[in-house]
Amino acid sequence: AQSVTQLDSQVPVFEEAPVELRCNYSSSVSVYLFWYVQYPNQGLQLLLKYLSGSTLVESINGFEAEFNKSQTSFHLRKPSVHISDTAEYFCAVALSGTYKYIFGTGTRLKVLA
Amino acid sequence: DTAVSQTPKYLVTQMGNDKSIKCEQNLGHDTMYWYKQDSKKFLKIMFSYNNKELIINETVPNRFSPKSPDKAHLNLHINSLELGDSAVYFCASSQGTSGANEQFFGPGTRLTVL
């Protein structure tokens, strides 16, 4: 069965420091990979996605994620975080040819001043 | 100009009651979803409709009944509410049924069953 693991439930980091949020998945078939962000009391918003092609994908607000097929990972990184990045981050997987997302349990990023 | 809207935003009710949550999207999408997010933030799909036809029906008690009157609306009716139904319910929509398509989420409905 397919699954998504986000090992870190909470990541505190100081403002302007780099951060990495980890995501690993298990699947025997091709997948599409997503990172969604949930700000307090809001719905989820797409941050970035990997469908095919270049394994490094970027968002408009400085986040990037790299698809690593051999390690079945899709870690999210940002070189310098801002207070406004404080949110819950969800990794999601959709199997190629299906329409169902499987979400990880989320990582709460808390940026400290 | 809200893309995916849900009503109500908060719902507090007693055990045993019946309640409904409404969802509307103005994105022109043909696929809509209901997710349940529990107290630990775990997000799990419950149902999905494509062109008003049910395509995903996860293991959900049959007290939960979705209804899609048209492509832009997906409602969720819950009978005989239980304490364990307390959660945040999110509606989402996408264009088509490919897993590659982005899902757009509503703001959520926080249901509290007392």
Side-chain angles (χ1 to χ4, degrees), chain B residues 30-43:
Chain B
D30 58 5
T31 305
M32 296 185 73
Y33 311 80
W34 276 113
Y35 287 87
K36 178 180 180 181
Q37 187 177 48
D38 63 23
S39 58
K40 295 184 179 175
K41 299 279 189 176
F42 183 59
L43 200 64

Side-chain angles (χ1 to χ4, degrees), chain A:
Chain A
Q2 294 74 34
S3 65
V4 179
T5 302
Q6 292 181 248
L7 286 172
D8 306 304
S9 59
Q10 202 162 282
V11 173
V13 62
F14 284 104
E15 196 173 15
E16 297 183 9
V19 71
E20 178 180 81
L21 306 183
R22 296 179 292 169
C23 173
N24 288 86
Y25 68 92
S26 66
S27 174
S28 56
V29 299
S30 298
V31 296
Y32 304 119
L33 296 157
F34 305 83
W35 276 100
Y36 277 80
V37 59
Q38 183 180 25
Y39 297 105
N41 298 314
Q42 292 186 30
L44 281 72
Q45 304 169 34
L46 181 68
L47 192 58
L48 44 74
K49 64 182 178 183
Y50 170 79
L51 303 182
S52 64
S54 172
T55 57
L56 185 66
V57 291
E58 298 177 355
S59 72
I60 57 172
N61 57 354
F63 283 94
E64 64 178 30
E66 186 157 21
F67 169 53
N68 187 319
K69 188 173 181 180
S70 62
Q71 297 187 5
T72 60
S73 68
F74 190 54
H75 301 332
L76 182 70
R77 302 184 187 94
K78 189 170 185 179
S80 176
V81 294
H82 191 268
I83 294 282
S84 60
D85 292 325
T86 294
E88 193 89 24
Y89 291 80
F90 291 92
C91 182
V93 162
L95 303 183
S96 176
T98 74
Y99 37 78
K100 194 167 85 169
Y101 279 17
I102 299 169
F103 281 90
T105 48
T107 297
R108 184 183 165 101
L109 174 63
K110 188 168 174 61
V111 181
L112 309 167

Side-chain angles (χ1 to χ4, degrees), chain B residues 7-112:
Chain B
T7 53
K9 192 168 172 61
Y10 300 97
L11 188 51
V12 181
T13 188
Q14 299 285 336
M15 262 197 315
N17 283 351
D18 303 338
K19 290 293 178 186
S20 291
I21 307 172
K22 294 180 186 291
C23 178
E24 176 181 1
Q25 53 94 4
N26 62 6
L27 297 166
H29 291 165
D30 58 5
T31 305
M32 296 185 73
Y33 311 80
W34 276 113
Y35 287 87
K36 178 180 180 181
Q37 187 177 48
D38 63 23
S39 58
K40 295 184 179 175
K41 299 279 189 176
F42 183 59
L43 200 64
K44 192 169 190 304
I45 189 158
M46 301 172 69
F47 303 102
S48 177
Y49 274 74
N50 174 252
N51 284 316
K52 302 194 299 175
E53 187 177 326
L54 183 66
I55 57 172
I56 296 176
N57 186 353
E58 292 294 292
T59 308
V60 176
N62 56 15
R63 298 182 294 104
F64 290 79
S65 51
K67 280 190 175 51
S68 181
D70 55 57
K71 287 195 301 184
H73 295 85
L74 180 61
N75 303 324
L76 183 65
H77 188 76
I78 316 170
N79 288 325
S80 304
L81 278 155
E82 301 178 357
L83 293 176
D85 298 332
S86 294
V88 181
Y89 292 84
F90 287 101
C91 176
S93 72
S94 67
Q95 181 53 39
T97 54
S98 168
N101 297 337
E102 176 184 354
Q103 293 186 16
F104 291 79
F105 284 77
T109 295
R110 183 175 293 277
L111 171 65
T112 304

